[in-house]
Amino acid sequence: MVNFKSMSRKEKIEYIWDYYKLHIFGGLILIFFIGSFIHAQVTSVEYVANLTIVAGITDENKRENAEKSITNLTVKSGEKRKQAFIDVIPIVDPQNPQPELLQKLTVKIATKEIDVIVLDKSIFQSLIKQEAFLRLDSNYGLELTSIKNEKIEAVNNQNNKAIYAVSAEGIKILEDMGVDTKNKVLAIMSNSQHRENAIIIFKWLLGIK
């Protein structure tokens, strides 16, 4: 039996290390994970809306300013750690898109991360058969008569013709960011998890109330 009291200070440290180092490591790892969890809970941000622009932009400052604007529109006063987000998937040539960017877009749609989207007409047409977009002529609080932009009709997989997007050409907020709005359309995703906020952002982009 070890006489702990008779040991020197150095011997005590060596003894504790030899017999309890696994316990010490385990305790430190546990403290690390608990600290990481608490930090994540305290600093995590809840995204209340996502606007994804499937095009290149040239002015990051304008994107950040627009992001602040839609956050102010969609986050109620006093709510903390909530934010709206503007994501950019820089597909410049929609006829020959980079596979990794197209994959990113597909994943974001499948995981319901996107609420409002700006994209090329050709990509829009390829997604309409998958019922990816919300019908704008349904009753979602959108007065189509107040929208001056061209309405984009499409035929879904049930051969029903309806309005699923509007032209994004000339939308100043997008052009200020450096987005080439030619042949681009603005739409709301049918699987949007924040439909009310999506409609708010949709109207804001078009300058209507």
Side-chain angles (χ1 to χ4, degrees):
M1 186 174 180
V2 177
N3 189 346
F4 192 74
K5 290 183 179 181
S6 65
M7 291 181 180
S8 65
R9 186 169 180 270
K10 182 181 178 181
E11 289 174 333
K12 288 178 181 179
I13 293 172
E14 290 176 347
Y15 177 83
I16 292 172
W17 177 250
D18 287 338
Y19 286 91
Y20 296 101
K21 57 186 174 184
L22 292 179
H23 298 79
I24 293 170
F25 277 129
L28 290 174
I29 291 171
L30 180 61
I31 291 170
F32 171 78
F33 279 113
I34 292 174
S36 298
F37 176 78
I38 293 173
H39 179 267
Q41 294 299 309
V42 171
T43 61
S44 63
V45 174
E46 177 187 349
Y47 291 105
V48 299
N50 173 286
L51 165 62
T52 293
I53 300 170
V54 187
I57 69 168
T58 59
D59 196 325
E60 177 62 20
N61 288 331
K62 289 294 177 68
R63 187 203 67 80
E64 290 178 358
N65 290 337
E67 191 172 81
K68 290 176 183 176
S69 295
I70 63 174
T71 295
N72 291 334
L73 286 170
T74 55
V75 177
K76 296 178 181 178
S77 178
E79 291 184 327
K80 297 181 179 179
R81 296 197 299 276
K82 289 187 177 183
Q83 180 186 338
F85 183 63
I86 297 180
D87 194 12
V88 177
I89 301 177
I91 296 178
V92 179
D93 182 4
Q95 303 304 322
N96 188 30
Q98 301 95 313
E100 66 274 13
L101 295 180
L102 202 58
Q103 183 181 28
K104 180 180 178 181
L105 174 62
T106 303
V107 170
K108 283 175 66 66
I109 292 173
T111 54
K112 304 178 182 180
E113 293 181 42
I114 304 174
D115 298 299
V116 183
I117 191 167
V118 176
L119 72 170
D120 192 86
K121 282 182 181 179
S122 60
I123 301 177
F124 168 82
Q125 292 294 343
S126 67
L127 292 172
I128 192 66
K129 293 293 184 180
Q130 302 174 31
E131 297 187 347
F133 308 106
L134 190 71
R135 280 188 57 168
L136 302 180
D137 51 3
S138 298
N139 185 20
Y140 294 112
L142 287 171
E143 294 292 339
L144 294 185
T145 55
S146 64
I147 298 176
K148 297 179 182 179
N149 299 54
E150 177 192 359
K151 284 82 172 176
I152 309 298
E153 290 186 325
V155 177
N156 60 20
N157 61 357
Q158 297 176 346
N159 291 321
N160 293 324
K161 194 174 185 180
I163 297 172
Y164 288 93
V166 299
S167 172
E169 290 191 32
I171 294 180
K172 187 176 184 302
I173 295 167
L174 297 175
E175 292 183 341
D176 284 347
M177 289 186 238
V179 177
D180 180 4
T181 59
K182 185 178 180 181
N183 293 323
K184 301 296 189 300
V185 300
L186 173 66
I188 298 173
M189 305 306 298
S190 61
N191 64 357
S192 168
Q193 300 296 288
H194 311 99
R195 186 168 292 176
E196 182 178 342
N197 287 339
I199 291 171
I200 290 172
I201 294 171
F202 187 89
K203 289 181 175 180
W204 174 75
L205 285 167
L206 294 171
I208 60 176
K209 295 182 179 180

